[in-house]
Short mmCIF file of all heavy atoms in Angstrom, two decimals:
data_model
loop_
_atom_site.label_atom_id
_atom_site.label_comp_id
_atom_site.label_asym_id
_atom_site.label_seq_id
_atom_site.Cartn_x
_atom_site.Cartn_y
_atom_site.Cartn_z
N ALA A 1 -6.89 -0.91 -2.57
CA ALA A 1 -7.28 -0.76 -1.16
C ALA A 1 -6.35 0.20 -0.42
O ALA A 1 -6.80 0.93 0.47
CB ALA A 1 -7.28 -2.12 -0.47
N ALA A 2 -5.08 0.21 -0.77
CA ALA A 2 -4.09 1.01 -0.04
C ALA A 2 -4.48 2.48 0.08
O ALA A 2 -4.17 3.13 1.09
CB ALA A 2 -2.72 0.89 -0.71
N ALA A 3 -5.17 3.00 -0.93
CA ALA A 3 -5.53 4.43 -0.94
C ALA A 3 -7.03 4.65 -1.11
O ALA A 3 -7.46 5.78 -1.28
CB ALA A 3 -4.77 5.14 -2.05
N SER A 4 -7.81 3.60 -1.06
CA SER A 4 -9.24 3.69 -1.36
C SER A 4 -10.02 4.48 -0.31
O SER A 4 -9.89 4.24 0.89
CB SER A 4 -9.83 2.27 -1.46
OG SER A 4 -11.23 2.35 -1.65
N ALA A 5 -10.85 5.37 -0.79
CA ALA A 5 -11.74 6.13 0.10
C ALA A 5 -12.80 5.21 0.71
O ALA A 5 -13.48 5.61 1.65
CB ALA A 5 -12.39 7.27 -0.66
N LEU A 6 -12.94 4.00 0.19
CA LEU A 6 -13.90 3.04 0.73
C LEU A 6 -13.40 2.39 2.03
O LEU A 6 -14.17 1.74 2.73
CB LEU A 6 -14.21 1.96 -0.30
CG LEU A 6 -14.83 2.45 -1.61
CD1 LEU A 6 -14.95 1.31 -2.60
CD2 LEU A 6 -16.19 3.09 -1.35
N VAL A 7 -12.12 2.58 2.30
CA VAL A 7 -11.50 2.01 3.49
C VAL A 7 -11.32 3.13 4.51
O VAL A 7 -10.94 4.24 4.15
CB VAL A 7 -10.11 1.41 3.11
CG1 VAL A 7 -9.35 0.96 4.33
CG2 VAL A 7 -10.27 0.26 2.12
N PRO A 8 -11.61 2.87 5.79
CA PRO A 8 -11.39 3.92 6.80
C PRO A 8 -9.97 4.48 6.73
O PRO A 8 -9.00 3.73 6.53
CB PRO A 8 -11.64 3.19 8.13
CG PRO A 8 -12.56 2.06 7.77
CD PRO A 8 -12.13 1.63 6.38
N ALA A 9 -9.86 5.78 6.88
CA ALA A 9 -8.57 6.47 6.74
C ALA A 9 -7.47 5.85 7.60
O ALA A 9 -6.31 5.75 7.16
CB ALA A 9 -8.73 7.95 7.06
N GLU A 10 -7.81 5.43 8.80
CA GLU A 10 -6.78 4.88 9.70
C GLU A 10 -6.23 3.53 9.23
O GLU A 10 -5.19 3.08 9.70
CB GLU A 10 -7.31 4.77 11.14
CG GLU A 10 -8.42 3.77 11.35
CD GLU A 10 -9.83 4.34 11.10
OE1 GLU A 10 -9.96 5.47 10.58
OE2 GLU A 10 -10.79 3.63 11.41
N LEU A 11 -6.92 2.88 8.29
CA LEU A 11 -6.44 1.60 7.76
C LEU A 11 -5.68 1.76 6.45
O LEU A 11 -4.95 0.85 6.05
CB LEU A 11 -7.62 0.64 7.54
CG LEU A 11 -8.38 0.24 8.80
CD1 LEU A 11 -9.55 -0.67 8.45
CD2 LEU A 11 -7.46 -0.42 9.81
N ARG A 12 -5.86 2.88 5.78
CA ARG A 12 -5.17 3.12 4.50
C ARG A 12 -3.67 3.26 4.73
O ARG A 12 -3.22 3.65 5.80
CB ARG A 12 -5.68 4.40 3.84
CG ARG A 12 -7.07 4.29 3.35
CD ARG A 12 -7.49 5.58 2.65
NE ARG A 12 -8.86 5.85 3.04
CZ ARG A 12 -9.39 7.04 3.23
NH1 ARG A 12 -8.68 8.12 3.03
NH2 ARG A 12 -10.64 7.15 3.58
N ILE A 13 -2.92 2.98 3.68
CA ILE A 13 -1.47 3.19 3.73
C ILE A 13 -1.24 4.69 3.61
O ILE A 13 -1.75 5.32 2.68
CB ILE A 13 -0.77 2.43 2.58
CG1 ILE A 13 -1.13 0.94 2.61
CG2 ILE A 13 0.75 2.65 2.64
CD1 ILE A 13 -0.84 0.21 3.90
N PRO A 14 -0.50 5.29 4.54
CA PRO A 14 -0.27 6.74 4.47
C PRO A 14 0.41 7.12 3.15
O PRO A 14 1.24 6.36 2.63
CB PRO A 14 0.67 7.01 5.66
CG PRO A 14 0.48 5.85 6.58
CD PRO A 14 0.14 4.68 5.70
N PRO A 15 0.07 8.28 2.61
CA PRO A 15 0.63 8.69 1.31
C PRO A 15 2.16 8.59 1.24
O PRO A 15 2.70 8.14 0.23
CB PRO A 15 0.16 10.14 1.15
CG PRO A 15 -1.10 10.20 1.96
CD PRO A 15 -0.88 9.28 3.13
N GLN A 16 2.84 8.98 2.30
CA GLN A 16 4.30 8.95 2.28
C GLN A 16 4.86 7.52 2.28
O GLN A 16 6.02 7.32 1.96
CB GLN A 16 4.88 9.76 3.45
CG GLN A 16 4.64 9.16 4.83
CD GLN A 16 3.30 9.56 5.46
OE1 GLN A 16 2.40 10.06 4.79
NE2 GLN A 16 3.18 9.33 6.77
N ASP A 17 4.03 6.53 2.60
CA ASP A 17 4.48 5.12 2.63
C ASP A 17 4.01 4.31 1.43
O ASP A 17 4.37 3.15 1.28
CB ASP A 17 3.96 4.44 3.90
CG ASP A 17 4.52 5.07 5.17
OD1 ASP A 17 5.58 5.74 5.10
OD2 ASP A 17 3.88 4.90 6.23
N ARG A 18 3.20 4.90 0.57
CA ARG A 18 2.58 4.13 -0.52
C ARG A 18 3.57 3.62 -1.55
O ARG A 18 3.42 2.51 -2.05
CB ARG A 18 1.47 4.93 -1.19
CG ARG A 18 0.25 5.01 -0.31
CD ARG A 18 -0.91 5.68 -0.97
NE ARG A 18 -1.92 5.95 0.05
CZ ARG A 18 -2.68 7.00 0.08
NH1 ARG A 18 -2.62 7.90 -0.90
NH2 ARG A 18 -3.55 7.17 1.05
N GLU A 19 4.58 4.40 -1.88
CA GLU A 19 5.56 3.93 -2.88
C GLU A 19 6.30 2.71 -2.36
O GLU A 19 6.48 1.73 -3.08
CB GLU A 19 6.52 5.05 -3.28
CG GLU A 19 7.59 4.59 -4.26
CD GLU A 19 7.06 3.90 -5.51
OE1 GLU A 19 5.98 4.26 -6.00
OE2 GLU A 19 7.73 2.97 -6.00
N ALA A 20 6.74 2.74 -1.13
CA ALA A 20 7.44 1.59 -0.55
C ALA A 20 6.50 0.39 -0.45
O ALA A 20 6.90 -0.75 -0.73
CB ALA A 20 8.00 1.94 0.83
N PHE A 21 5.25 0.64 -0.07
CA PHE A 21 4.25 -0.43 0.00
C PHE A 21 4.03 -1.05 -1.38
O PHE A 21 4.02 -2.27 -1.53
CB PHE A 21 2.94 0.15 0.54
CG PHE A 21 1.83 -0.86 0.69
CD1 PHE A 21 1.78 -1.69 1.80
CD2 PHE A 21 0.83 -0.96 -0.27
CE1 PHE A 21 0.75 -2.62 1.94
CE2 PHE A 21 -0.18 -1.89 -0.14
CZ PHE A 21 -0.23 -2.72 0.97
N ARG A 22 3.87 -0.19 -2.40
CA ARG A 22 3.67 -0.67 -3.77
C ARG A 22 4.87 -1.48 -4.25
O ARG A 22 4.71 -2.57 -4.81
CB ARG A 22 3.42 0.52 -4.71
CG ARG A 22 3.04 0.10 -6.13
CD ARG A 22 3.19 1.26 -7.12
NE ARG A 22 4.58 1.63 -7.31
CZ ARG A 22 5.43 0.96 -8.07
NH1 ARG A 22 5.06 -0.12 -8.71
NH2 ARG A 22 6.67 1.36 -8.17
N ALA A 23 6.07 -0.98 -4.00
CA ALA A 23 7.28 -1.68 -4.45
C ALA A 23 7.38 -3.05 -3.78
O ALA A 23 7.71 -4.05 -4.44
CB ALA A 23 8.51 -0.84 -4.14
N ARG A 24 7.10 -3.12 -2.50
CA ARG A 24 7.16 -4.40 -1.77
C ARG A 24 6.09 -5.35 -2.29
O ARG A 24 6.35 -6.55 -2.49
CB ARG A 24 6.99 -4.14 -0.27
CG ARG A 24 6.97 -5.38 0.57
CD ARG A 24 8.36 -5.93 0.80
NE ARG A 24 8.27 -7.02 1.77
CZ ARG A 24 8.82 -8.18 1.59
NH1 ARG A 24 9.56 -8.43 0.54
NH2 ARG A 24 8.68 -9.13 2.50
N ALA A 25 4.88 -4.84 -2.51
CA ALA A 25 3.80 -5.68 -3.03
C ALA A 25 4.17 -6.23 -4.41
O ALA A 25 3.91 -7.40 -4.71
CB ALA A 25 2.50 -4.88 -3.10
N MET A 26 4.76 -5.40 -5.26
CA MET A 26 5.18 -5.85 -6.59
C MET A 26 6.26 -6.92 -6.48
O MET A 26 6.22 -7.92 -7.20
CB MET A 26 5.72 -4.67 -7.41
CG MET A 26 4.72 -3.62 -7.75
SD MET A 26 3.85 -4.04 -9.26
CE MET A 26 2.82 -2.60 -9.43
N GLU A 27 7.21 -6.73 -5.59
CA GLU A 27 8.30 -7.69 -5.43
C GLU A 27 7.75 -9.05 -5.00
O GLU A 27 8.13 -10.09 -5.53
CB GLU A 27 9.32 -7.16 -4.41
CG GLU A 27 10.52 -8.08 -4.20
CD GLU A 27 10.32 -9.13 -3.12
OE1 GLU A 27 9.70 -8.83 -2.08
OE2 GLU A 27 10.78 -10.28 -3.32
N ILE A 28 6.83 -9.05 -4.05
CA ILE A 28 6.26 -10.30 -3.58
C ILE A 28 5.42 -10.96 -4.67
O ILE A 28 5.49 -12.17 -4.88
CB ILE A 28 5.43 -10.06 -2.30
CG1 ILE A 28 6.36 -9.67 -1.15
CG2 ILE A 28 4.60 -11.30 -1.94
CD1 ILE A 28 5.65 -9.11 0.05
N ALA A 29 4.65 -10.16 -5.40
CA ALA A 29 3.81 -10.70 -6.47
C ALA A 29 4.64 -11.29 -7.60
O ALA A 29 4.17 -12.15 -8.34
CB ALA A 29 2.89 -9.62 -7.01
N ASP A 30 5.89 -10.86 -7.71
CA ASP A 30 6.77 -11.32 -8.80
C ASP A 30 7.54 -12.58 -8.43
O ASP A 30 8.37 -13.05 -9.19
CB ASP A 30 7.73 -10.20 -9.17
CG ASP A 30 8.18 -10.27 -10.61
OD1 ASP A 30 7.42 -10.79 -11.45
OD2 ASP A 30 9.30 -9.81 -10.89
N ARG A 31 7.29 -13.14 -7.26
CA ARG A 31 7.97 -14.38 -6.88
C ARG A 31 7.24 -15.57 -7.46
O ARG A 31 6.02 -15.57 -7.51
CB ARG A 31 7.99 -14.51 -5.35
CG ARG A 31 8.83 -13.49 -4.69
CD ARG A 31 8.85 -13.79 -3.22
NE ARG A 31 9.34 -12.66 -2.45
CZ ARG A 31 9.34 -12.62 -1.12
NH1 ARG A 31 8.89 -13.65 -0.44
NH2 ARG A 31 9.79 -11.58 -0.50
#
């Protein structure tokens, strides 16, 4: 969803923020 073209652009995670978003999502999922 973070980068999906199916989601309106204003709701997507900006490209420059995606790595941090992915890392945080992975950390939470690993708890």
Side-chain angles (χ1 to χ4, degrees):
S4 176
L6 299 174
V7 173
E10 66 273 10
L11 297 178
R12 291 183 220 145
I13 305 304
Q16 68 273 16
D17 297 339
R18 286 185 192 144
E19 177 53 34
F21 181 81
R22 186 196 68 78
R24 177 79 172 131
M26 294 274 183
E27 182 271 322
I28 292 167
D30 208 29
R31 293 184 195 174

